[in-house]
Amino acid sequence: MIWWPNTIFSNKVQEANWELYKKQKAAEAILYKKEKEAEAQKAIAEAAFYARKQLVDGELYSKKKEAEGLVALAQAQGVYLRTLLDALGGNYEALRDYMMINNGMFQQIAKINAEAVQGLKPTISIWTNGTGGEATDGSVAGGNVAMKEVAGLYRMLPPLFKTVQEQTGMQPPPWLGTLTNSTHPN
């Protein structure tokens, strides 16, 4: 019975080989599963990248078309303005006035001004300095025209300060002058 230990050894080797084979197959199955999971993650990442790339490409295309539209609009406006300017003989002031009228600028200015004074209670003051020393023939009597103009300017300041104070509530700076409560003219 010598062959018996050989058979036991042979059975042990076969069992060891079988265990090794089972472990290899289990490891291969785990490896296969991990590879498939990695491939799936890669496919998901590629799909997400492709979707994002498509979105970005769409946005880029949209922006390019928008820019092309703006360029075309600017070129058309340039041709329009050049045509108008040529029709007006190169007169920029006339072109400006035409554009302001055509675009309703004066109506907008009038509307803004009307809204600005809405609710105000304006005081109308008329300032004169009399005849200013003029003779009946238009010449200046007394000779010193410059001093009469300066005097007229100083006579105009108190009613101006009073009107500004009544309409805005602001007083003139002290170094310029102060208002008194007197109602008679200076």
Side-chain angles (χ1 to χ4, degrees):
M1 302 229 160
I2 289 192
W3 55 272
W4 181 256
N6 253 350
T7 309
I8 294 175
F9 177 74
S10 175
N11 283 345
K12 293 280 184 190
V13 168
Q14 284 180 351
E15 285 177 14
N17 285 341
W18 176 249
E19 287 299 318
L20 178 63
Y21 178 77
K22 284 190 333 186
K23 287 181 182 178
Q24 283 179 337
K25 289 300 174 184
E28 287 175 3
I30 291 171
L31 177 63
Y32 180 79
K33 181 180 173 187
K34 294 290 183 182
E35 285 176 347
K36 291 302 174 185
E37 287 175 358
E39 287 174 8
Q41 287 179 351
K42 181 181 176 186
I44 290 170
E46 287 175 352
F49 173 75
Y50 181 76
R52 180 70 181 143
K53 185 177 182 303
Q54 290 298 101
L55 180 66
V56 169
D57 287 346
E59 289 174 0
L60 177 63
Y61 179 79
S62 172
K63 293 293 182 184
K64 281 182 180 179
K65 288 301 178 182
E66 183 180 343
E68 289 172 6
L70 289 173
V71 167
L73 178 64
Q75 289 173 342
Q77 287 176 341
V79 169
Y80 170 69
L81 290 174
R82 174 54 54 196
T83 304
L84 284 176
L85 189 60
D86 290 344
L88 294 170
N91 186 341
Y92 289 104
E93 290 80 20
L95 176 63
R96 180 202 60 218
D97 293 345
Y98 172 77
M99 295 298 293
M100 289 178 74
I101 291 168
N102 195 38
N103 292 327
M105 180 63 69
F106 293 116
Q107 290 87 349
Q108 290 176 5
I109 290 171
K111 181 181 176 190
I112 290 168
N113 285 339
E115 289 172 357
V117 297
Q118 189 175 11
L120 291 180
K121 296 175 185 150
T123 301
I124 299 173
S125 299
I126 300 173
W127 303 308
T128 64
N129 56 1
T131 62
E134 292 181 10
T136 56
D137 63 356
S139 65
V140 177
N144 195 346
V145 177
M147 287 308 292
K148 291 184 192 247
E149 292 298 322
V150 171
L153 177 66
Y154 278 105
R155 279 195 296 275
M156 179 199 65
L157 288 177
L160 174 65
F161 290 156
K162 184 175 183 207
T163 301
V164 169
Q165 194 273 331
E166 287 173 354
Q167 291 183 1
T168 66
M170 294 172 40
Q171 294 282 342
W175 57 266
L176 188 59
T178 57
L179 291 175
T180 61
N181 290 335
S182 67
T183 57
H184 55 49
N186 293 352

